[in-house]
Amino acid sequence: MPHLRSAIFVSDRTGITAEALGNTLLTQFDTIEFKRETIPFVDTVEKAREVAEMIRQRTIEDHQKPVVFTSIVNAEVRQALRVDHALVIDFFEAFIGELEAELHQKATLSVGKAHGMMDEEQYDHRIEAVNYSLNHDDGVKLKDLHEADVVLVGVSRSGKTPTCLYLALQYGIKAANYPLTPEDLGSPTLPKMLLPFRQKIFGLTIDPARLHHIRSERRPDSKYASMENCRSEVNEAESMFRQHAIPFISTTHKSIEEIASTIMHKANLTRKF
């Protein structure tokens, strides 16, 4: 039975940075199960003291120290969170001092720069990419595929839509996607509307058992979700990718972040902002 322990992410903004860095570290301790909690917008000493008291209560309840990850700019707020009854890992304190020394410049210590809307042009580009991905989801709109940076192709429920949206949000990539139908899978060629854009195609596949599970939640006891059909569709899709030299990856054990990063690398795409 895994040992349960509290992991708390505290930030003066959204908590995205503390979560990302903290969770990356925690994945290296896979025999421990963590109770994760994020506390955003802790931007005053008073709020920090309230969080410190909550952490103290958590220590009493758990009979062990919580692990606390913080990404807080203000030194006084950080100081209010330095408590003896928890392991506090302060990302700003760990890195800012060394950077200041190396760069010979004091940090501005401005709150919200990591995830704020710093550049209006970059923000507009990101929104444009998101709108493009939404408009070209599941083959709904195919006439503007020449504008796409990449076209994700795969069987239904293989992870195309969330990957397209992540590519748009994180990298500004205009990503369209096309679901392979039974008619497509039975054809000896690529789908006709995709032929002019063959160099932009990137395939997604998935383990048939995982696909069966996902589809069964959506349409239980249907032919669409049956194990036999899932296995057949995946095999035919992978055969199509190999026959036409389409690069592809399995999404079965990968996070959306990892899938998107792999596509960026293998398709030689570059961040648009």
Side-chain angles (χ1 to χ4, degrees), residues 94 210 212 237 252:
R210 175 63 179 156
H212 165 66
T252 310

Side-chain angles (χ1 to χ4, degrees), residues 113-126:
K113 283 193 170 183
H115 301 287
M117 197 175 80
M118 294 166 53
D119 187 313
E120 188 172 343
E121 185 178 349
Q122 290 183 4
Y123 182 79
D124 289 344
H125 193 107
R126 179 182 293 183

Side-chain angles (χ1 to χ4, degrees), residues 2 13 17 28 30 43 47 54 63 80 82 106 113 132 134 151 176 180 193 195 202 212 222 225 236 242:
R13 296 297 290 170
T17 300
Q28 303 305 308
D30 53 8
D43 51 8
K47 291 179 182 178
M54 182 276 288
H63 305 291
R82 287 178 187 157
K106 296 294 289 184
K113 283 193 170 183
Y132 182 89
L134 288 172
V151 181
L180 292 171
M193 61 281 296
L195 285 173
F202 199 99
H212 165 66
S222 63
E236 289 185 26
R242 292 189 182 98

Side-chain angles (χ1 to χ4, degrees), residues 61-118:
E61 295 169 6
D62 294 351
H63 305 291
Q64 60 185 332
K65 289 183 176 182
V67 181
V68 181
F69 299 95
T70 71
S71 60
I72 292 176
V73 173
N74 185 280
E76 292 182 359
V77 178
R78 294 205 309 268
Q79 181 63 39
L81 279 168
R82 287 178 187 157
V83 291
D84 295 331
H85 43 267
L87 171 63
V88 180
I89 298 174
D90 186 332
F91 292 123
F92 266 90
E93 188 177 67
F95 302 118
I96 286 292
E98 286 191 40
L99 282 168
E100 287 179 333
E102 177 62 30
L103 300 175
H104 307 292
Q105 182 177 328
K106 296 294 289 184
T108 59
L109 299 181
S110 300
V111 176
K113 283 193 170 183
H115 301 287
M117 197 175 80
M118 294 166 53

